[in-house]
């Protein structure tokens, strides 16, 4: 869609939504994630599948990695909901469509999507325009990170209860932040109610990637730099675990991207596998 005074989602959020749709449209079943709603929200030009970053072969590893992490998050949220957790926070939500695709789970939660004010306003408009609406349990929380507004204060103003456990998710964000900024976020989350769970993705240094995936990381890094949103932080699993523990988490675990490949892609006959390079921190208060 045409940019409307900078209020549209950034190119990364759109790319993620399109890759999720590409998985449904070009990869054979079973699909790890069934999501074409993000495509409807983004409403790209008719030739979007001919974009170089949508090439079904050269970007298959990225596509698989995106749907793998999304499926992992959805499984985690469903598991926490079954355990009685009633709050779900998505930091940097972008074009996430969990609410629209999985209302049977989402409606059991108070769901808070945190994002920049412009893209958040745009998403609100698109959800209404497409007939999805904004249910009472979905809270779109605009926070101007560039102006150093507090996401936690924004959450509280939107009805978040810091005395009750929550599941908090941050995917595809830490590479754009300094280590100090990520540490500050970790400290805030570690101070939430006991029984809260955090899932946060992080990029690995190039030397920890499979040889075949290093050119892809370089291309992504160069593209982010050209777009004015450079990657500034990479973490070894040991460094991320140390950062989480120093920030106050009682329990912190490393979830390798390779484990998601085994969980969601084992037995496929089409060769679809996630690229290496992005792992997860799973931590509890």
């Amino acid at each position: 869609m045409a940019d409307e005074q900078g209020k549209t989602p950034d190119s990364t959020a759109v790319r993620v939504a399109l890759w999720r749709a590409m998985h449904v449209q070009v990869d054979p079943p079973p699909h790890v994630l069934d999501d074409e709603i993000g495509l409807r929200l983004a409403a790209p030009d008719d030739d979007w599948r001919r974009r170089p970053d949508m090439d079904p072969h050269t970007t298959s590893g990225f596509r698989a990695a995106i749907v793998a992490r999304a499926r992992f998050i959805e499984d985690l949220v469903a598991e926490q909901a079954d355990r009685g957790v009633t709050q779900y926070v998505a930091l940097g939500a972008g074009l996430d469509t969990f609410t629209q695709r999985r209302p049977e789970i989402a409606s059991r939660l108070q769901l808070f999507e945190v994002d920049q004010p412009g893209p958040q306003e745009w998403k609100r408009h698109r959800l209404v325009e497409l007939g999805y609406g904004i249910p009472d349990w979905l809270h779109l929380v605009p926070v101007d990170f560039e102006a150093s507004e507090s996401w936690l204060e924004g959450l509280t103003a939107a009805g978040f209860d810091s005395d009750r456990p929550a599941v908090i998710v941050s995917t595809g964000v830490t590479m754009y932040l300094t280590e100090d900024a990520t540490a500050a976020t970790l400290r805030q989350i570690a101070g939430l109610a006991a029984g809260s769970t955090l899932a946060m993705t992080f990029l690995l240094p190039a030397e920890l990637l499979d040889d075949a995936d290093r050119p892809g990381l370089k291309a992504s890094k160069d593209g982010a730099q050209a777009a004015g949103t450079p990657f500034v932080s990479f973490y070894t699993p040991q460094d991320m675990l140390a950062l989480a523990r120093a920030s106050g988490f009682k329990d912190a675990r490393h979830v390798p991207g390779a484990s998601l490949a085994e969980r969601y892609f084992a037995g496929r006959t089409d060769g679809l596998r996630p690229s290496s390079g992005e792992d997860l921190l799973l931590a509890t208060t």
Side-chain angles (χ1 to χ4, degrees), residues 26-284:
V26 307
D27 297 324
H31 294 127
V32 176
L33 191 81
D34 189 345
D35 181 13
E36 294 182 279
I37 295 177
L39 170 63
R40 293 191 67 200
L41 288 172
D45 294 337
D46 291 342
D47 63 349
W48 68 272
R49 283 181 51 166
R50 291 192 288 274
R51 289 170 37 164
D53 60 352
M54 292 296 123
D55 183 279
H57 303 295
T58 61
T59 65
S60 64
F62 293 123
R63 181 171 72 246
I66 288 298
V67 298
R69 81 181 188 192
R71 174 65 182 275
F72 176 83
I73 295 302
E74 294 200 2
D75 288 351
L76 174 67
V77 172
E79 173 189 284
Q80 292 299 307
D82 287 344
R83 291 179 176 179
V85 173
T86 58
Q87 300 184 112
Y88 171 28
V89 179
L91 298 177
L95 296 182
D96 185 84
T97 59
F98 176 74
T99 299
Q100 294 74 43
R101 291 180 299 100
R102 303 297 304 275
E104 75 282 3
I105 301 173
S107 61
R108 296 159 54 193
L109 304 162
Q110 291 298 308
L111 202 153
F112 301 85
E113 293 190 8
V114 181
D115 213 333
Q116 292 276 55
Q120 197 75 289
E121 180 184 339
W122 175 92
K123 186 175 185 180
R124 180 185 297 275
H125 173 77
R126 288 293 291 154
L127 287 172
V128 172
E129 187 175 51
L130 292 172
Y132 294 107
I134 312 293
D136 292 342
W137 34 267
L138 173 60
H139 310 275
L140 301 181
V141 185
V143 176
D144 190 343
F145 300 104
E146 295 175 0
S148 300
E149 289 184 359
S150 168
W151 62 268
L152 192 51
E153 288 180 6
L155 274 183
T156 302
F160 179 78
D161 187 349
S162 59
D163 293 326
R164 301 177 66 184
V167 55
I168 303 97
V169 170
S170 173
T171 58
V173 175
T174 58
M175 72 281 273
Y176 301 111
L177 304 178
T178 65
E179 182 176 324
D180 286 347
T182 294
T185 297
L186 287 170
R187 286 193 296 272
Q188 288 178 302
I189 297 172
L192 297 178
S196 295
T197 301
L198 166 69
M200 174 181 279
T201 64
F202 59 95
L203 289 187
L204 301 172
E207 61 269 18
L208 296 185
L209 271 63
D210 296 340
D211 290 345
D213 293 331
R214 291 178 187 173
L217 174 63
K218 183 180 186 305
S220 297
K221 186 176 180 181
D222 291 347
Q225 181 77 37
T229 53
F231 294 170
V232 296
S233 296
F234 299 83
Y235 300 90
T236 67
Q238 294 78 13
D239 287 343
M240 180 53 79
L241 289 173
L243 191 64
R245 289 165 180 152
S247 299
F249 280 97
K250 295 187 299 183
D251 177 61
R253 293 191 288 126
H254 167 226
V255 181
S259 69
L260 304 189
E262 291 305 316
R263 181 181 302 190
Y264 300 121
F265 294 83
R268 292 189 70 97
T269 59
D270 59 356
L272 184 66
R273 300 281 287 190
S275 58
S276 61
E278 185 177 67
D279 285 3
L280 286 114
L281 166 71
L282 191 62
T284 56

